[in-house]
Amino acid sequence: KFYQHATTEASQATLASVSPVFAVMKLDKEGNTTYFEKKKTELYQELGLQARDLRFQHLMSIATRNNRIIMRMEFLKAVITPEFLLILDYRNLNLEHWLFNELASQLAGEGQLVTYSLPFEFRAIEAILQYRISKLQGRLNTLQPQILETLEALVDPKLLSVDRSKLHILLQNGKSLSELETDLKVFKETILEILDEEELIEELCLSKWTDPQVFEESTSGIDHAEEMELLLENYYRQAEDLANEARELRVLIDDSESIIFINLDSHRNVMMRLNLQLTMGTFSLSLFGLIGVAFGMNLESSLEEDPRIFWLVTGIMFLGSGLIWRRLLSFLGRHLELPLPPHVPAVLKKSQPAAGRVEIKNNLRAETFGLSRS
């Protein structure tokens, strides 16, 4: 028994020694900031949490445990209590400007947070959500002009070929846009999961269950659960607006790809038609060139003695070749003409204004890139 007890203590000591160490940044209600390092085991014991609560296995999550809010916004890991905010692993975030210059002032009420008059957890949640939305907005603002500039260069109908470097840039921007759409989708789903559950919204109001004064205010006057719901809905709506803008960019990329293919097909058809015309011209000259071959043979007749025969035969050759070439061109034109549009019944004529609106919308979309659609 003594040996087993000693072995257990040794194993626990070994596990405690390999426990990860968090670099913690602590901010209180007044914006005072302290920095320290603490092992994961010590940290979750002080906060009254369990080890799995600080695992942060999802890239984006908002959860409550033992009157604590555990948030993760991609690289940002935070634990919110009614008295302070903890930012974990702050040294590896590359967020020095926001952490050291903006976050403390926002929590102290010097920023533009609308929840300053509410308990501390509201300010902390709003500051983190505001930072996340601003990062997503910045990514969209960076991608949008690059994509529009690239599309404007690619959909030019005068270009006979497509610049591969522009296509490579468009491919990279499209990939970045897809990642942005995924991040926005995850952000909206995370907030929507909370908005769909009234109990989760109530659990986010930490001070309501710890401070009697706040509980009285929530029951008699301002309902803090409704304020939390409005706060989350506000940032959900902002994420939805960003998602709509990203979706419009995606539609523009898809439409531009169709325009690029149409332009390339048009130029390819022109080259094929030119090649066909040259082939027909060569055929016409070769056909009547047989006359010159016949007269060029070493045959004796009375015609070669007349000097006017050369010009007569040459004229007949060129005239016949021209007539055959024009005949072939008219035959080609008849078979390449577009068919007449079908007759529109009277019943379907009522839908013409809607079709006109669609055509105007398409023309406006084309004018964005400097095009004119027919």
Side-chain angles (χ1 to χ4, degrees):
K1 291 182 180 180
F2 176 77
Y3 175 75
Q4 292 177 352
H5 180 70
T7 304
T8 304
E9 289 183 352
S11 62
Q12 290 178 353
T14 303
L15 292 176
S17 62
V18 299
S19 177
V21 178
F22 286 127
V24 183
M25 179 179 181
K26 182 178 180 181
L27 302 100
D28 58 11
K29 299 179 180 180
E30 288 74 23
N32 300 322
T33 307
T34 55
Y35 310 92
F36 56 90
E37 293 184 356
K38 185 160 291 189
K39 292 184 177 181
K40 179 179 179 179
T41 54
E42 298 176 357
L43 185 61
Y44 71 72
Q45 289 175 1
E46 289 183 4
L47 295 175
L49 303 174
Q50 297 182 4
R52 63 174 178 269
D53 296 331
L54 299 182
R55 192 174 298 161
F56 299 102
Q57 56 186 348
H58 301 289
L59 288 178
M60 192 171 299
S61 62
I62 303 175
T64 55
R65 297 287 188 278
N66 195 17
N67 207 31
R68 303 284 188 267
I69 300 176
I70 304 169
M71 295 185 64
R72 179 169 185 179
M73 294 292 163
E74 201 172 10
F75 301 108
L76 181 63
K77 306 172 186 177
V79 179
I80 303 173
T81 71
E83 294 80 18
F84 54 83
L85 167 65
L86 299 180
I87 304 295
L88 308 182
D89 291 336
Y90 69 94
R91 296 174 182 172
N92 302 325
L93 298 180
N94 297 323
L95 308 176
E96 289 81 3
H97 178 74
W98 177 69
L99 289 176
F100 298 109
N101 299 332
E102 299 181 9
L103 181 58
S105 60
Q106 288 178 343
L107 296 178
E110 300 176 3
Q112 298 179 353
L113 299 181
V114 298
T115 56
Y116 176 68
S117 59
L118 295 172
F120 176 76
E121 64 268 15
F122 284 82
R123 282 176 277 166
I125 293 175
E126 184 181 5
I128 294 175
L129 293 179
Q130 186 183 85
Y131 168 76
R132 181 59 179 167
I133 284 293
S134 64
K135 293 294 290 184
L136 296 174
Q137 179 71 57
R139 290 167 58 184
L140 181 61
N141 292 338
T142 303
L143 284 174
Q144 189 171 15
Q146 296 178 359
I147 292 176
L148 294 179
E149 181 181 359
T150 306
L151 293 179
E152 185 177 359
L154 288 175
V155 299
D156 189 358
K158 299 179 181 179
L159 296 178
L160 298 178
S161 61
V162 178
D163 190 356
R164 292 186 178 181
S165 62
K166 296 291 184 181
L167 285 178
H168 183 67
I169 295 174
L170 182 62
L171 180 62
Q172 291 180 341
N173 291 335
K175 182 179 179 181
S176 301
L177 183 62
S178 299
E179 294 176 354
L180 177 60
E181 289 177 333
T182 302
D183 293 341
L184 288 169
K185 181 180 178 181
V186 174
F187 183 87
K188 292 192 303 178
E189 290 177 352
T190 302
I191 295 182
L192 191 60
E193 288 177 359
I194 300 176
L195 292 175
D196 291 339
E197 298 291 338
E198 185 176 355
E199 297 179 355
L200 297 178
I201 299 177
E202 292 283 350
E203 292 176 357
L204 291 177
C205 304
L206 305 180
S207 300
K208 182 177 180 180
W209 313 109
T210 57
D211 191 345
Q213 182 180 358
V214 175
F215 182 78
E216 292 179 1
E217 292 177 357
S218 180
T219 54
S220 60
I222 302 175
D223 189 355
H224 288 79
E226 293 183 358
E227 295 292 337
M228 181 64 71
E229 184 176 0
L230 292 175
L231 174 64
L232 296 177
E233 284 183 353
N234 179 31
Y235 285 96
Y236 179 84
R237 185 171 61 252
Q238 293 184 33
E240 183 68 24
D241 294 339
L242 293 180
N244 291 334
E245 294 182 16
R247 195 177 301 112
E248 290 179 358
L249 278 180
R250 176 64 61 187
V251 171
L252 288 178
I253 291 177
D254 296 338
D255 292 344
S256 300
E257 289 179 353
S258 301
I259 295 174
I260 292 171
F261 292 145
I262 291 174
N263 289 336
L264 292 178
D265 291 339
S266 176
H267 293 302
R268 191 181 298 111
N269 293 336
V270 170
M271 299 303 295
M272 292 176 62
R273 184 162 185 169
L274 178 61
N275 185 24
L276 183 59
Q277 291 176 354
L278 293 176
T279 302
M280 291 187 299
T282 305
F283 170 76
S284 303
L285 289 175
S286 300
L287 181 61
F288 276 86
L290 295 175
I291 301 176
V293 173
F295 277 91
M297 298 175 65
N298 296 323
L299 299 177
E300 294 181 358
S301 63
S302 59
L303 296 177
E304 66 270 7
E305 296 178 358
D306 192 347
R308 294 173 298 179
I309 293 298
F310 171 77
W311 300 107
L312 179 62
V313 172
T314 303
I316 292 174
M317 288 171 54
F318 280 100
L319 181 61
S321 299
L323 291 176
I324 292 180
W325 189 42
R326 292 294 301 174
R327 185 67 177 176
L328 291 175
L329 287 180
S330 61
F331 174 78
L332 178 65
R334 287 196 305 270
H335 285 75
L336 291 181
E337 288 180 355
L338 295 177
L340 295 176
H343 177 69
V344 180
V347 180
L348 298 179
K349 290 183 179 180
K350 297 181 180 180
S351 61
Q352 288 182 356
R357 290 194 296 269
V358 174
E359 183 178 0
I360 292 174
K361 184 177 180 181
N362 292 334
N363 290 334
L364 291 176
R365 182 179 298 173
E367 289 176 1
T368 306
F369 305 109
L371 294 175
S372 61
R373 292 186 180 178
S374 59

